[in-house]
Amino acid sequence: MGHRHFSAEPGSGLSYRAGVGIMLINRDGLVWLGRRMPKWLGDRSAYVWQMPQGGIDDGEEPRQAAVRELYEETNVTSAEIVGEAPDWLTYDLPATLLGWAMKGRYRGQRQRWFAMRFLGEDREIDIGPRPGLKAEFDAWRWVPIEEVAQGIVAFKRPVYEEVVRTFAPLARG
């Protein structure tokens, strides 16, 4: 398995957080995006549209983490993995966020990305807080794959563009 690194920032002594990302694709070939307002943006009008993603727990395989994160962030269980990016994709936080974003513990993320086909109905999706789970998003929508990277913060955009290139054939119906 390979590794692709996307960075415009100098490194630091911090490590990368191991995580997963999920491109959830519906029957029409549209991709699920959730809207969140990361604390580090500071401006309540600055929202980020992103795909589900999260950390890999100790002892957890990336595929397991992807299924868990999708459920935790969207309530979706009616999905199957239909693709896996061949490489780990890594991005660095900008220098202004080092020591603050991601609880100040990481310099960025090293992610394994999966494409999942959504087999359920939209009513299955629940982004609100549920027992033991905080809400990650305050709104969601289905978009054409060409729009996936448009609403993401600049430092994550190269990763999103790579994920779109990798999974584009899966979103064509």
Side-chain angles (χ1 to χ4, degrees):
M1 304 251 172
H3 178 258
R4 303 273 317 268
H5 183 79
F6 301 94
S7 174
E9 297 295 332
S12 73
L14 299 170
S15 62
Y16 290 100
R17 178 182 184 222
V20 293
I22 302 102
M23 177 181 278
L24 185 65
I25 306 165
N26 72 9
R27 291 178 185 90
D28 298 322
L30 300 174
V31 177
W32 191 95
L33 291 180
R35 185 179 76 174
R36 61 188 300 250
M37 205 297 290
K39 290 188 263 323
W40 46 262
L41 281 177
D43 178 359
R44 294 302 300 177
S45 66
Y47 288 96
V48 174
W49 287 92
Q50 69 176 49
M51 293 180 278
Q53 62 180 59
I56 298 173
D57 292 341
D58 288 340
E60 191 175 40
E61 292 296 321
R63 291 172 79 88
Q64 295 171 305
V67 170
R68 176 185 52 75
E69 284 291 341
L70 181 66
Y71 169 72
E72 287 180 1
E73 294 190 0
T74 68
N75 196 52
V76 168
T77 58
S78 301
E80 64 181 358
I81 295 174
V82 294
E84 180 176 349
D87 300 318
W88 287 87
L89 303 177
T90 303
Y91 69 83
D92 287 346
L93 291 168
T96 55
L97 296 180
L98 285 175
W100 191 57
M102 288 193 262
K103 299 179 183 171
R105 293 187 294 206
Y106 304 100
R107 68 183 286 178
Q109 290 203 65
R110 179 177 180 262
Q111 299 174 315
R112 193 67 177 193
W113 280 86
F114 295 87
M116 293 191 195
R117 180 76 59 199
F118 181 50
L119 305 171
E121 301 297 326
D122 283 1
R123 66 180 171 268
E124 178 179 344
I125 299 168
D126 180 359
I127 59 170
R130 301 189 314 275
L133 297 171
K134 66 181 174 109
E136 295 285 338
F137 303 106
D138 69 354
W140 65 272
R141 63 185 181 189
W142 294 107
V143 302
I145 194 168
E146 299 79 19
E147 296 178 18
V148 167
Q150 291 175 8
I152 195 66
V153 293
F155 63 88
K156 290 184 182 181
R157 191 165 293 124
V159 167
Y160 268 53
E161 289 168 348
E162 182 67 21
V163 170
V164 165
R165 275 191 294 278
T166 301
F167 295 142
L170 298 172
R172 294 196 181 104

